[in-house]
Amino acid sequence: MDTRTHTITLRLERIRDALRANGCHAALIPSADPHLSEYLPDRWQGRQWASGFTGSVATLVVTLDGAALFADSRYWTQAEAELAGTGITLVKVMTAAASNYIDWIVANLPKGQTLAVDGQVLGLALAQQIRTALSSAGLNLNTQVDVIASSWDDRAGLPTAAVYEHLPPQASVSRADKLAHVRAAMAARGASHHFISTVDDVAWLLNLRGADVSYNPVFMAHLLLDGEQATLFIAPGKIDAALQARLASDGVKIAAYEQAPAALAALPASATLLVDPRRVTLGLREAVPAAVRVIEAINPSTLAKSRKTADEAVHVREAMAQDGAAMCEFYAWFEAALAAGERITELTVDEHLSAARARRPGFKGLSFNTIAGFNANGALPHYRATEESHSEIKGDGLLLIDSGGQYLGGTTDITRVWPIGQVSAAQKRDYTLVLKGTLALSRTCFPRGTLSPMLDAIARAPLWEQGLDYGHGTGHGVGYFMNVHEGPQSISKAVPEATMAMEPGMITSIEPGIYRPGQWGVRIENLVLNVALETTENGQFGDMLTFETLTLCPIDTRCIDLALMRPDEIAWLNRYHAEVRRSLQPLVEGAALAWLMERTAAI
């Protein structure tokens, strides 16, 4: 018997024992922690522990006689392989935001039965959606049962990495000014108190960074503000005495991480509390006394941090240039090594590209797992090479590399596709259609306040014309030396909401793709900045925005089918390559400079 499969089977049985002990009939286990984070510390990797599926996003439902894992198209191939033999059924959903598991629960649980889910990791808005659906179906919800806590004996503790300050010049807005801005937003809504759980909001607001999760410089903490003071709930030992004193000078005191619920419970009946229902858990919301008036609205900090200041944009451009220089060094080495017949694997790509970034000024770490996928592996949007399973870069085909770095002055995320040996006409066609999608959206202009999902079709149109599409979103927001995935904007098929309005200073990815399972994948990604656009109408029809492309790295022209490109598209690409050459030329030398000059030649 396969040991891993046997282990998963035993874990599922322990979960079922916990269900029976609590009078429940099914457990919902999301990929979530008490902060509703995208990337989870080891302590809250319960879904992965229980299922064996290592993808970053999925939802597990365990019943007394079965189990189902809900994953979107990025993970279908990976999930099928990792779930084999576990008895867990893969349910394919179209997007990560889909809530098909709720329909599945309603369809598979008889009336009168009870679903268990840990309220401490269940988002408030999602809890309201689940409760409504279950009630309509005659089912019960128990949010007091944590089946992971009672089943996972060697569960990790709280992260212990130290917290540090994000300092000037990169931190160009002071902690005091940010707190004042949020308090002004609180007052405008009539709130006396505001509770923040999302770790990127806490880190941004206090100009602090940490290392509690891989790739994102954040730390596990909650924050409670009133009109004068703020309390940071964080594990002991993570903030040294000197930093604690500097925080105190800005009216921020420190309390134990586990005291957050008690602090909410101690709010006076006269308080009016602002919470974001999409960014706080049910468990924390339920700690608030019934007499306290609660206002549900987006965190003011979420909107504020999405709009990078002019000073921050300067640092982001510098980070992009350093990142581009690192990629020039890597790709020059890569092409030379490949031509010399050296053995290069997907793991080698990750190792050498990460080392090139690490040599650049201001580099603090990667912003996510490097994705280096050759041919069929490139068709897996979230593929990751491992020692046990990876490909050698040899023969003919396409190599997709999606990578990024964390710098003191910004966060990068870039995808490029490179030809290896001979590239087929079909591969060139796919590459060119994806490039046309990237260019179409990169060149667009739109009214300020446009809801970001409305822009999604612009990138997809060149692919739709040929009957093609891709399962992931076109673009995600990006933080400032922060999370590589940041809201509220999302260029995707998401249902538009007022908070998704495009505003000046937002940084978003543009990354259409084509994926042919078992053959190859193409994705071309740049980061762009929302900037004001002057028009001949002089604002009579409202303010207009356009995109400034921030990413600085050549887009390979050897894969382009020029017959599919319009003259204006070629002109844009040539202008972009001229800017890449101008920006990176002072930062590279030798083989990297020669490579840059060759790959930015006009077509």
Side-chain angles (χ1 to χ4, degrees):
M1 177 180 292
D2 177 81
T3 302
R4 187 191 63 83
T5 302
H6 183 251
T7 298
I8 296 303
T9 303
L10 290 177
R11 291 173 181 174
L12 292 175
E13 285 306 313
R14 296 197 67 178
I15 290 172
R16 293 182 179 112
D17 289 341
L19 287 173
R20 295 185 188 97
N22 288 279
C24 298
H25 305 88
L28 172 63
I29 305 173
S31 301
D33 65 10
H35 309 273
L36 304 179
S37 307
E38 177 182 11
Y39 294 96
L40 308 177
D42 290 342
R43 178 173 179 77
W44 287 287
Q45 292 284 3
R47 186 268 303 155
Q48 178 175 317
W49 173 84
S51 68
F53 171 64
T54 60
S56 58
V57 180
T59 301
L60 178 66
V61 178
V62 181
T63 67
L64 295 178
D65 56 5
L69 183 99
F70 299 78
D72 68 75
S73 60
R74 297 171 295 173
Y75 302 103
W76 290 347
T77 302
Q78 175 185 351
E80 286 172 345
E82 293 183 339
L83 297 180
T86 64
I88 300 173
T89 300
L90 171 63
V91 180
K92 298 179 178 180
V93 300
M94 292 311 299
T95 70
S99 55
N100 305 56
Y101 55 88
I102 300 177
D103 297 332
W104 189 93
I105 291 167
V106 168
N108 284 273
L109 288 189
K111 285 185 177 181
Q113 291 197 345
T114 299
L115 173 71
V117 56
D118 178 15
Q120 301 304 316
V121 299
L122 180 65
L124 177 58
L126 178 57
Q128 294 166 345
Q129 182 183 356
I130 292 174
R131 182 172 281 128
T132 298
L134 295 187
S135 177
S136 299
L139 298 171
N140 305 309
L141 179 65
N142 187 333
T143 59
Q144 303 302 312
V145 175
D146 181 1
V147 296
I148 294 298
S150 57
S151 305
W152 190 359
D153 291 335
D154 57 347
R155 187 178 185 183
L158 287 171
T160 59
V163 170
Y164 59 95
E165 278 189 283
H166 190 213
L167 296 169
Q170 290 85 3
S172 56
V173 182
S174 71
R175 179 164 46 238
D177 286 347
K178 289 181 178 180
L179 286 167
H181 172 86
V182 169
R183 288 192 171 106
M186 290 166 53
R189 288 196 171 271
S192 61
H193 294 73
H194 177 33
F195 186 75
I196 306 173
S197 272
T198 34
V199 292
D200 52 332
D201 283 291
V202 173
W204 176 87
L205 183 55
L206 298 182
N207 280 349
L208 300 177
R209 298 295 188 267
D212 283 356
V213 299
S214 300
Y215 309 114
N216 294 333
V218 295
F219 52 94
M220 300 294 103
H222 303 283
L223 186 68
L224 180 61
L225 286 79
D226 62 24
E228 301 292 334
Q229 297 291 317
T231 303
L232 179 66
F233 301 93
I234 190 168
K238 294 177 69 67
I239 294 182
D240 63 31
L243 177 53
Q244 186 167 332
R246 291 193 294 275
L247 288 168
S249 68
D250 285 323
V252 181
K253 64 179 182 179
I254 306 300
Y257 178 82
E258 63 273 10
Q259 290 179 1
L264 288 172
L267 288 173
S270 59
T272 298
L273 177 67
L274 171 62
V275 296
D276 188 333
R278 295 186 179 276
R279 294 172 177 84
V280 72
T281 66
L282 174 69
L284 288 165
R285 171 64 181 86
E286 289 182 334
V288 179
V292 171
R293 178 173 173 254
V294 174
I295 299 171
E296 294 186 1
I298 190 170
N299 289 335
S301 51
T302 300
L303 292 171
K305 72 182 172 63
S306 71
R307 298 187 58 181
K308 282 61 178 178
T309 67
D311 287 339
E312 289 171 340
V314 169
H315 292 295
V316 170
R317 294 185 188 102
E318 292 173 354
M320 293 290 173
Q322 294 296 340
D323 204 60
M327 287 184 286
C328 288
E329 292 179 358
F330 164 75
Y331 287 122
W333 166 85
F334 173 77
E335 291 189 5
L338 205 61
E342 293 185 27
R343 184 178 186 273
I344 301 175
T345 71
E346 294 164 339
L347 293 175
T348 314
V349 168
D350 186 1
E351 175 187 350
H352 281 260
L353 181 52
S354 298
R357 279 195 167 99
R359 292 190 289 269
R360 306 312 300 187
F363 178 78
K364 297 294 288 183
L366 300 183
S367 56
F368 56 94
N369 275 320
T370 297
I371 299 169
F374 183 50
N375 281 343
N377 292 337
L380 307 174
H382 274 212
Y383 170 76
R384 184 187 181 190
T386 64
E387 291 287 351
E388 298 74 26
S389 178
H390 62 269
S391 292
E392 184 177 352
I393 314 301
K394 63 179 181 179
D396 299 325
L398 297 177
L399 172 63
L400 183 154
I401 304 177
D402 187 352
S403 64
Q406 293 284 6
Y407 298 81
L408 289 173
T411 301
T412 71
D413 182 1
I414 173 176
T415 308
R416 292 292 185 264
V417 173
W418 305 97
I420 307 297
Q422 297 297 312
V423 179
S424 70
Q427 289 170 331
K428 286 188 174 182
R429 176 178 178 271
D430 281 355
Y431 182 93
T432 308
L433 291 173
V434 171
L435 176 59
K436 287 170 73 70
T438 303
L439 298 188
L441 185 51
S442 299
R443 301 170 61 202
T444 198
C445 56
F446 49 92
R448 178 179 179 177
T450 295
L451 300 184
S452 51
M454 296 173 64
L455 302 174
D456 183 70
I458 297 172
R460 295 181 191 268
L463 284 74
W464 285 350
E465 289 175 1
Q466 304 300 321
L468 300 164
D469 199 9
Y470 48 95
H472 57 74
T474 296
H476 55 82
V478 179
Y480 180 66
F481 183 35
M482 191 60 73
N483 291 358
V484 73
H485 295 155
E486 173 186 277
Q489 76 274 27
S490 171
I491 303 177
S492 66
K493 295 180 180 179
V495 177
E497 297 180 358
T499 58
M500 296 178 176
M502 293 294 261
E503 295 290 342
M506 288 180 166
I507 296 176
T508 313
S509 68
I510 296 178
E511 48 181 311
I514 293 176
Y515 309 97
R516 297 190 182 274
Q519 299 181 70
W520 63 78
V522 177
R523 184 167 64 255
I524 300 173
E525 175 188 17
N526 287 331
L527 300 188
V528 295
L529 174 71
N530 290 2
V531 295
L533 176 67
E534 297 296 329
T535 72
T536 56
E537 298 297 338
N538 297 316
Q540 292 186 70
F541 293 85
D543 295 337
M544 300 295 291
L545 300 177
T546 191
F547 292 126
E548 172 192 335
T549 298
L550 295 168
T551 301
L552 296 168
C553 181
I555 295 172
D556 197 277
T557 58
R558 295 167 294 177
C559 296
I560 297 175
D561 182 346
L562 290 175
L564 298 176
M565 295 282 284
R566 299 192 310 268
D568 59 303
E569 293 171 324
I570 293 173
W572 188 97
L573 188 59
N574 284 339
R575 288 194 301 272
Y576 172 70
H577 278 152
E579 176 62 22
V580 170
R581 178 183 289 191
R582 185 195 67 79
S583 300
L584 301 188
Q585 196 170 349
L587 301 177
V588 294
E589 58 186 11
L593 177 58
W595 182 88
L596 171 68
M597 301 301 284
E598 181 179 2
R599 293 288 166 251
T600 56
I603 56 174

